[in-house]
């Protein structure tokens, strides 16, 4: 009957573009050749094409991409960076003004009765923050958020660097990310097998053909130990390690890895430093390369022929062919830009719902550019000239010789240009409303026109709900990254982490909206004086308002070191100078020993017979006055 099927999926918001979706719902082959590579799964074709199209909008290349289908006229469109401005603004808001790793309980170190737990929390927080400074964590987060906001997904990889002796974090383009998602599981569940794959171009100078590189992290059962070896073709691989055969003829048996044990059922178990229970799982790393000419037949990124792969070698000389990493987790963190729908794994770009508006903006900018040319060089009609075929040029000092009834008529096109500019402002407001970015957040509103702070807060309502949803989608990743960092440091046996117990931690994102610091200070001061909030809560509120407080714990110690009136009240209440000195961050003075009491000599006492008695000489039993019987 000639009915057309409508494809609805996570990228159907791009179906309006003929370049992205043909009659069968597939992307244009010439515009998106990467999506049709033989090793790319069919389910990922539209995802990869969507990433490329969104990147083109972000880099002002949407017209260049549309030229492949629509011809050279599409290349003439004006693109002035509106999508990139929206992405940068959202990235700044979702990250906040600063990022800090926090461990619950660390702010109570030295003040809580349960000193062991709080001291450990403070130690873990200090180590994590030192790692964040060395690894430039804010910059890594910025790289990942730029991908997540613009493309819909961001990916982080964490690994142990033996040379630098620290955990490294790397942001990957989601176009290289190919998770193997179980059909029976929820899409939000973390996959046990993850691939990073991309093509390497031909290098004629080095004599290298076009290749495909794939890095795989897979969670599997613990197997016997392996070591570097070679196969029959001389290719470097990892081979199982066997024990020496016994003298009694007992055959060689596989050797277990360090710390591994066999349970009652014959399965291999391992106890990791961050777990009290034995585990049966470990993560294997494979880094392999294939020549594209060897990839033939029905295959994809998850079913490449391993017999034709060439394995890489790490800095320690270990062949990366299912190398045991001695960790029971896949160190890959996927960050969706939005909360995925039920059963889905991928997020949605913040530009998704506004792409048609951005096309209209580009068209309006193109029309305005053409109209401005006629406004700057006005069109003039000349009548009554001697020779109608003569060409005239309009410019300063130009003189026209006209006939008896000659006349000059100029055409004013400025009203059309004014209408185009107003239309462009309307389109920009429509795009901002669609993306939920108020004008005040884009910096296009005059602050003097805001009637009050309450009106400003109301205008930021759409942005608050937008950023709240985006941060909710990132909450799990903000907890996973510090968790993986702690485990990798323990697995790497770093000396500073010896005896450390992994604790829950989180990457805390700072505020993103402008705040009235004076109003917040007054509110905090009033609440603290009324004893309805603690000093820790007050410092945290000031930090959220943008006050220059780097470390809450250090700030509290500095405040208490000068709180002499509160120290006097504490001394009156407890009567313990050591606790008062600890409150002030000082050492209590050693108390001097009390000297013995020296009584002055008194007048000598007289006995009943008028004889002076020595007070130091005890009275004799039975003597008068001694309490004895004198009768």
């Amino acid at each position: 009957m000639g009915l057309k099927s409508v494809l609805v999926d996570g990228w159907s918001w791009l179906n309006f573009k003929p370049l992205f979706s043909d009659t069968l719902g597939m992307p244009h082959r010439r515009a998106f050749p990467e999506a049709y590579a033989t090793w790319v799964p069919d389910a990922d074709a539209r995802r990869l094409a969507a990433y490329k199209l969104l990147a083109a909008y972000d880099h002002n290349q949407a017209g260049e991409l549309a030229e492949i289908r629509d011809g050279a006229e599409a290349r003439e469109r004006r693109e002035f960076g509106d999508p990139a401005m929206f992405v940068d603004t959202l990235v700044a808001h979702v990250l906040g003004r600063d990022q800090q790793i926090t461990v619950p309980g660390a702010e109570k170190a030295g003040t809580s009765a349960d000193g062991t737990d709080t001291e450990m929390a403070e130690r873990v927080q200090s180590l994590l923050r030192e790692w964040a400074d060395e690894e430039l964590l804010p910059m890594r987060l910025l790289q990942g958020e730029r991908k997540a906001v613009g493309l819909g997904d961001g990916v982080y990889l964490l690994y142990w660097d033996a040379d630098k002796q620290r955990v490294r974090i790397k942001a990957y383009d989601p176009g290289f990310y190919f998770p193997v998602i179980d059909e029976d599981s929820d899409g939000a569940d973390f996959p046990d097998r993850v691939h990073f794959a991309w093509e390497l171009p031909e290098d004629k100078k080095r004599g290298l053909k076009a290749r495909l590189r794939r890095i795989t992290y897979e969670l599997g059962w613990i197997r016997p130990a392996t070591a570097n070896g070679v196969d029959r073709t001389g290719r470097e691989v990892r081979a199982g390690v066997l024990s020496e055969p016994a003298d009694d003829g007992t055959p060689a048996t596989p050797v277990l890895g360090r710390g591994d044990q066999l349970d009652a059922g014959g399965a291999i178990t391992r106890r990791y430093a961050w777990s009290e229970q034995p585990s049966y799982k470990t993560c294997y790393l494979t880094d392999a390369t294939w020549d594209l000419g060897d990839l033939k037949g029905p295959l994809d990124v998850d079913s490449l022929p391993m017999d034709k792969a060439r394995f890489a070698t790490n800095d320690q000389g270990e062949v990366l062919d299912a190398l045991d990493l001695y960790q029971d987790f896949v160190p890959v963190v996927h960050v969706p830009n939005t909360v995925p729908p039920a059963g889905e794994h991928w997020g949605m770009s913040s530009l998704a719902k506004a792409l048609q508006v951005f096309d209209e903006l580009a068209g309006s900018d193109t029309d305005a550019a053409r109209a401005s040319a006629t406004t700057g060089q006005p069109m003039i009609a000349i009548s009554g000239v001697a020779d109608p075929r003569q060409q005239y040029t309009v410019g300063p000092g130009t003189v026209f010789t006209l006939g008896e009834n000659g006349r000059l008529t100029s055409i004013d096109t400025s009203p059309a240009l004014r209408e185009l500019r107003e239309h462009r402002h309307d389109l920009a407001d429509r795009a901002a409303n669609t993306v939920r970015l108020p004008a005040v957040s884009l910096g296009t509103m005059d602050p003097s026109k805001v009637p009050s702070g309450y009106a400003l807060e109301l205008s930021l309502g759409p942005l608050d709900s937008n950023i709240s949803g985006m941060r909710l989608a990132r909450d799990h990743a903000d907890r996973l990254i510090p968790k993986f960092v702690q485990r990798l440091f323990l697995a790497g046996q770093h000396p500073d982490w010896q005896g450390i117990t992994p604790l829950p931690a989180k990457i805390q994102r700072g505020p993103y909206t402008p705040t009235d610091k004076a109003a917040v200070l007054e509110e905090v001061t009033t609440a603290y004086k009324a004893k309805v909030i603690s000093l820790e809560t007050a410092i945290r509120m000031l930090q959220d308002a943008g006050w220059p407080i780097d470390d809450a714990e250090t700030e509290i110690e500095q405040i208490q070191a000068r709180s002499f009136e509160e120290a006097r009240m504490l001394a009156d209440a407890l009567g313990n100078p050591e606790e008062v000195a600890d409150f002030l961050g000082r050492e209590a003075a050693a108390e001097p020993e009390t000297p013995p009491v020296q009584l002055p000599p008194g007048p000598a006492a007289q006995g009943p017979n008028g004889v002076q008695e020595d007070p130091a000489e005890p009275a004799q039993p039975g003597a008068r006055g001694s309490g004895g019987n004198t009768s």
Side-chain angles (χ1 to χ4, degrees):
M1 298 177 59
L3 297 178
K4 180 182 178 181
S5 60
V6 177
L7 179 62
V8 179
D9 60 1
W11 297 273
S12 56
W13 40 268
L14 273 172
N15 287 348
F16 77 96
K17 299 188 76 67
L19 184 69
F20 182 79
S21 180
D22 58 13
T23 56
L24 300 178
M26 297 304 293
H28 195 280
R29 284 186 173 270
R30 290 182 56 207
F32 308 103
E34 305 86 357
Y36 291 96
T38 57
W39 56 272
V40 174
D42 295 337
D44 292 304
R46 284 170 59 83
R47 177 174 69 92
L48 298 185
Y51 290 159
K52 184 174 182 179
L53 185 57
L54 289 167
Y57 273 92
D58 190 15
H59 293 83
N60 291 346
Q61 292 180 292
E64 182 180 349
L65 196 61
E67 182 185 7
I68 298 176
R69 182 186 184 277
D70 301 334
E73 293 183 358
R75 188 69 176 273
E76 297 179 0
R77 62 185 293 176
R78 298 293 195 273
E79 298 179 76
F80 296 147
D82 293 281
M85 179 192 65
F86 276 60
V87 171
D88 292 336
T89 303
L90 283 171
V91 168
H93 289 329
V94 76
L95 276 176
R97 286 194 288 266
D98 54 10
Q99 303 82 42
Q100 194 72 268
I101 298 179
T102 59
V103 178
E107 70 278 1
K108 299 179 182 178
T111 62
S112 175
D114 190 6
T116 303
D117 295 340
T118 57
E119 292 297 333
M120 179 61 70
E122 192 274 335
R123 178 61 176 162
V124 172
Q125 178 176 276
S126 177
L127 289 173
L128 286 174
R129 290 183 176 181
E130 290 177 5
W131 167 81
D133 291 338
E134 294 178 355
E135 193 56 23
L136 306 177
L137 181 61
M139 186 185 71
R140 307 299 181 190
L141 294 177
L142 179 60
Q143 292 173 343
E145 290 296 346
R146 198 63 174 71
K147 297 293 184 181
V149 174
L151 304 182
D153 299 283
V155 184
Y156 297 101
L157 170 66
L158 294 100
Y159 61 95
W160 174 255
D161 191 329
D163 292 336
K164 294 184 179 295
Q165 283 293 299
R166 73 167 184 263
V167 180
R168 306 298 305 277
I169 182 172
K170 181 178 181 181
Y172 266 95
D173 190 294
F176 301 154
Y177 172 63
F178 296 90
V180 180
I181 302 175
D182 189 358
E183 296 179 356
D184 298 331
S185 66
D186 187 2
D189 294 339
F190 199 83
D192 292 340
R193 184 178 173 90
V194 172
H195 303 294
F196 292 100
W198 62 92
E199 291 187 6
L200 301 173
E202 181 182 5
D203 190 347
K204 295 182 178 180
K205 293 183 178 180
R206 300 170 57 190
L208 299 176
K209 301 179 181 179
R211 295 147 291 152
L212 170 67
R213 184 182 179 185
R214 190 191 73 179
I215 302 175
T216 302
Y217 290 87
E218 181 179 10
L219 199 63
W221 303 106
I222 300 176
R223 299 192 289 266
T226 59
N228 292 351
V230 294
D231 61 4
R232 297 178 180 179
T233 62
R235 183 183 58 160
E236 292 185 344
V237 296
R238 293 197 70 82
V241 179
L242 299 177
S243 63
E244 294 291 338
D247 297 336
D248 57 358
T250 303
T253 58
V255 176
L256 299 182
R258 63 178 186 273
D260 295 349
Q261 295 180 351
L262 292 175
D263 65 358
I268 304 177
T269 64
R270 181 182 301 163
R271 190 183 299 274
Y272 294 100
W274 49 85
S275 177
E276 297 181 356
Q277 300 295 329
S279 175
Y280 294 87
K281 295 292 188 73
T282 187
C283 183
Y284 295 98
L285 169 62
T286 302
D287 188 349
T289 305
W290 290 264
D291 290 337
L292 290 180
D294 296 336
L295 303 181
K296 300 177 181 178
L299 50 82
D300 59 20
V301 69
D302 192 46
S303 60
L304 298 176
M306 300 305 297
D307 58 334
K308 297 182 179 180
R310 296 187 301 274
F311 300 104
T313 304
N314 62 13
D315 296 336
Q316 286 71 45
E318 298 172 311
V319 178
L320 301 181
D321 174 20
L323 176 66
D324 191 346
L325 297 180
Y326 281 82
Q327 60 194 46
D328 59 348
F329 59 94
V330 177
V332 179
V333 181
H334 170 241
V335 182
N337 183 51
T338 57
V339 177
E344 297 292 335
H345 182 76
W346 308 101
M348 180 182 293
S349 170
S350 295
L351 303 179
K353 302 297 181 62
L355 281 185
Q356 295 191 51
V357 186
F358 288 131
D359 286 344
E360 294 292 335
L361 273 171
S364 177
D365 290 334
T366 303
D367 294 339
R370 293 171 178 172
S372 63
T374 60
T375 302
Q377 296 181 352
M379 295 180 290
I380 298 178
I382 304 177
S383 60
V385 296
D387 186 0
R389 295 172 299 178
Q390 184 178 355
Q391 299 293 327
Y392 295 93
T393 302
V394 180
T398 303
V399 178
F400 299 95
T401 303
L402 305 179
E404 181 178 354
N405 296 320
R407 186 174 58 190
L408 288 175
T409 303
S410 63
I411 302 175
D412 185 11
T413 60
S414 59
L417 179 60
R418 189 179 307 110
E419 289 294 331
L420 286 173
R421 289 178 175 175
E422 293 179 358
H423 179 58
R424 191 200 183 284
H425 290 313
D426 293 339
L427 290 175
D429 293 339
R430 172 65 68 87
N433 293 335
T434 303
V435 183
R436 289 189 294 172
L437 275 178
V440 62
S441 63
L442 290 171
T444 58
M445 176 182 288
D446 187 359
S448 62
K449 295 182 179 180
V450 180
S452 64
Y454 182 70
L456 175 63
E457 186 176 355
L458 289 179
S459 66
L460 291 173
L463 177 65
D464 292 337
S465 61
N466 187 20
I467 300 301
S468 177
M470 296 174 68
R471 289 192 173 185
L472 177 62
R474 292 155 171 79
D475 184 74
H476 188 49
D478 290 344
R479 301 175 188 273
L480 271 183
I481 291 177
K483 179 179 180 180
F484 287 173
V485 170
Q486 296 180 69
R487 292 186 174 186
L488 289 173
F489 266 113
L490 292 176
Q493 299 180 358
H494 194 280
D496 292 343
W497 287 77
Q498 297 299 320
I500 294 295
T501 302
L503 296 175
K506 184 180 179 181
I507 299 176
Q508 197 71 32
R509 300 168 185 255
Y512 58 91
T513 55
T515 55
D516 188 351
K517 295 183 179 180
V520 173
L521 177 61
E522 182 179 358
E523 178 184 1
V524 169
T525 304
T526 303
Y528 181 67
K529 287 183 177 180
K531 303 300 182 182
V532 296
I533 62 173
S534 64
L535 181 59
E536 290 79 6
T537 303
I539 295 299
R540 192 178 304 113
M541 291 175 63
L542 293 177
Q543 280 184 309
D544 294 340
W547 283 76
I549 301 175
D550 297 330
D551 189 279
E553 180 184 355
T554 304
E555 192 72 18
I556 292 174
E557 293 177 356
Q558 294 176 352
I559 292 174
Q560 292 179 346
R562 297 169 176 82
S563 301
F564 300 109
E565 182 63 24
E566 295 184 3
R568 183 186 62 78
M569 297 172 62
L570 183 64
D572 295 339
L574 300 179
N576 189 342
E578 293 184 357
E579 293 191 16
V580 176
D582 184 66
F583 174 80
L584 294 173
R586 304 184 182 187
E587 295 183 0
E591 296 184 1
E593 296 183 0
T594 304
V597 179
Q598 299 290 338
L599 297 176
Q606 289 185 353
N609 298 326
V611 180
Q612 291 186 349
E613 297 180 354
D614 187 356
E617 182 179 351
Q620 297 296 328
R624 184 184 295 262
S626 62
N629 187 4
T630 59
S631 58

